[in-house]
Amino acid sequence: MRRKISLFAAIAVLLLSACKSSSNDPQPSMNHEPVLTTTAQVILNTYQDLSQKAAKLQETTVLLRQVPIEAHLELARQAWREARSPWEQSEGFLFGPVDQEGLDPSLDSWPVNVSDLQAVLNSSHTITVEFLQQQEGTLKGFHTIEYLLWGEDGKKTVADFSDREFEYLEACAGALAQDAARLYELWSPEGGNYISNVINAGKGSKVYVSQKAALEEIVSALGVIADEVANGKINEPFSQKDLTLEESRFSANSKNDFANNMRSIQNIYLGQYEGEGDTANSLSALVSSLDASLDTRLKEHIQKAIDDIEAIPGTFSEAVFSHRAEVQKAQQSVRDLQDLIEGEVLPLINSIK
């Protein structure tokens, strides 16, 4: 009896060992929470910078209205450029509250509805932040402020402003600052805490059922902005030779917009904003662990897209007619980047456990 029991035990151990060594067993899933935490922090830091710089822009428009001199007009223009930078660097992640709460069109609708804007200026409405927040996006946001600061031909002086334009400008900058602050607040752990939905993906997140789902949305958004720059922002004015289709043409800031859109991809991929972040737990580190060659190529493509955009001579308005080869080269670099993101990086992310 005793010997018989030992034999049964030996058979059981062998069966258990066989089961453990089966190649059909699922492999353990990787924990991507550190990568998601790094990515979410880049997003939060970008929105914090946007909120602070939009508040600064509002301050300069108040000063310009109080003391309308050329130096204060230039201060307001520079504050617009500085606030514009983090916004464009956020367009690689246009998901979450910026989309769900309608903040994207409120902040950045294009083109400006100049006829309706003029109608408001000619009316008896008191122009306040509250009034503008009830209007369509084409009557507020970055580009309405840009139009008021630079004018149609980019040559506006303080003497060209009417009292109503100063009133509209101050209220419009106030509405922009309010939207930017709300966007940051919605992501902040101390506010709407949307950031927790990304960090806790697959672990109680109300948005993402898995970490893979969150990573897929993040990478997909990078492809979306590359597509928009190559086939929308650059292509439409370039192919139609129509500058009314050029975003940020009043301020001649279009090239900066395009390059900062590429930096939004770079920031998310490298896990840093303004040179600070956790690159060891970035999307780049994850891709490198799976395909080091792809990681290297993607980083090279991002930098090439930035370099080729910045190498376009003069303003984009001038280049549409006078430097078409350089524009075409930059456009192709962005298209190549889009192809790499959508054709190789996204499938790699789709394949992870």
Side-chain angles (χ1 to χ4, degrees):
M1 183 70 180
R2 190 174 180 177
R3 184 177 175 182
K4 194 179 286 185
I5 291 173
S6 298
L7 179 60
F8 286 149
I11 293 172
V13 168
L14 286 172
L15 288 173
L16 182 61
S17 299
C19 288
K20 284 182 177 179
S21 62
S22 170
S23 60
N24 294 325
D25 279 355
Q27 296 176 3
S29 297
M30 293 175 64
N31 178 21
H32 302 298
E33 184 175 331
V35 175
L36 292 169
T37 300
T38 297
T39 304
Q41 192 61 47
V42 170
I43 295 172
L44 186 66
N45 291 348
T46 308
Y47 285 146
Q48 182 181 39
D49 193 26
L50 170 66
S51 177
Q52 292 170 345
K53 288 177 176 171
K56 179 67 176 176
L57 171 59
Q58 181 187 14
E59 291 174 11
T60 62
T61 61
V62 172
L63 179 62
L64 176 61
R65 186 182 181 189
Q66 291 173 342
V67 186
I69 59 176
E70 293 297 332
H72 290 168
L73 174 58
E74 187 48 45
L75 275 180
R77 286 173 172 173
Q78 184 58 29
W80 183 91
R81 294 186 190 96
E82 290 175 4
R84 184 76 179 158
S85 176
W87 168 253
E88 292 300 297
Q89 291 187 56
S90 79
E91 289 198 317
F93 42 87
L94 289 178
F95 55 81
V98 70
D99 176 47
Q100 296 161 3
E101 302 295 323
L103 290 166
D104 181 12
S106 187
L107 285 156
D108 195 34
S109 282
W110 174 262
V112 178
N113 188 335
V114 176
S115 60
D116 282 3
L117 169 61
Q118 198 59 49
V120 174
L121 291 170
N122 292 338
S123 74
S124 59
H125 284 295
T126 302
I127 306 171
T128 63
V129 171
E130 292 74 22
F131 171 76
L132 288 180
Q133 288 294 34
Q134 296 172 7
Q135 307 307 311
E136 295 291 329
T138 52
L139 283 175
K140 56 186 175 180
F142 273 108
H143 295 301
T144 299
I145 297 170
E146 180 196 13
Y147 177 80
L148 290 168
L149 284 173
W150 275 272
E152 180 72 30
D153 62 0
K155 299 176 181 177
K156 193 173 184 179
T157 68
V158 168
D160 297 325
F161 278 79
S162 67
D163 289 343
R164 289 285 281 173
E165 285 179 319
F166 282 127
E167 181 183 352
Y168 200 118
L169 176 64
E170 182 181 324
C172 201
L176 183 95
Q178 191 176 77
D179 284 343
R182 176 164 167 70
L183 183 53
Y184 172 61
E185 188 271 340
L186 286 167
W187 271 84
S188 171
E190 292 77 29
N193 199 23
Y194 192 86
I195 192 172
S196 68
N197 287 308
V198 177
I199 294 172
N200 298 316
K203 298 179 180 178
S205 168
K206 296 176 182 176
V207 178
Y208 302 107
V209 296
S210 67
Q211 293 180 335
K212 179 178 170 179
L215 290 169
E216 286 172 339
E217 172 141 68
I218 291 164
V219 174
S220 294
L222 302 183
V224 168
I225 190 58
D227 176 42
E228 184 178 340
V229 172
N231 302 313
K233 294 184 178 187
I234 291 178
N235 192 62
E236 290 181 2
F238 180 66
S239 62
Q240 299 182 46
K241 296 184 178 179
D242 183 353
L243 297 184
T244 65
L245 302 174
E246 181 195 347
E247 192 175 356
S248 295
R249 68 184 170 88
F250 306 131
S251 58
N253 202 61
S254 305
K255 286 180 0 188
N256 288 334
D257 281 8
F258 307 156
N260 281 327
N261 283 162
M262 296 303 99
R263 291 190 179 93
S264 73
I265 296 173
Q266 191 174 52
N267 294 343
I268 289 294
Y269 191 65
L270 298 181
Q272 57 184 15
Y273 180 70
E274 298 283 291
E276 294 186 5
D278 183 5
T279 55
N281 287 303
S282 62
L283 195 54
S284 168
L286 171 60
V287 171
S288 180
S289 71
L290 301 169
D291 186 338
S293 170
L294 176 58
D295 173 59
T296 299
R297 284 186 289 131
L298 185 60
K299 287 188 285 192
E300 289 174 349
H301 274 63
I302 295 170
Q303 191 58 53
K304 185 174 190 308
I306 294 171
D307 292 344
D308 287 348
I309 289 167
E310 293 185 335
I312 296 172
T315 67
F316 187 71
S317 295
E318 296 164 346
V320 163
F321 299 100
S322 304
H323 300 286
R324 294 183 63 80
E326 290 87 345
V327 173
Q328 206 157 23
K329 180 181 179 184
Q331 182 184 33
Q332 188 58 52
S333 292
V334 181
R335 282 176 170 162
D336 291 344
L337 174 59
Q338 178 193 352
D339 288 346
L340 194 60
I341 292 170
E342 295 179 346
E344 295 191 46
V345 180
L346 189 56
L348 183 70
I349 296 300
N350 290 338
S351 73
I352 67 174
K353 299 291 184 182

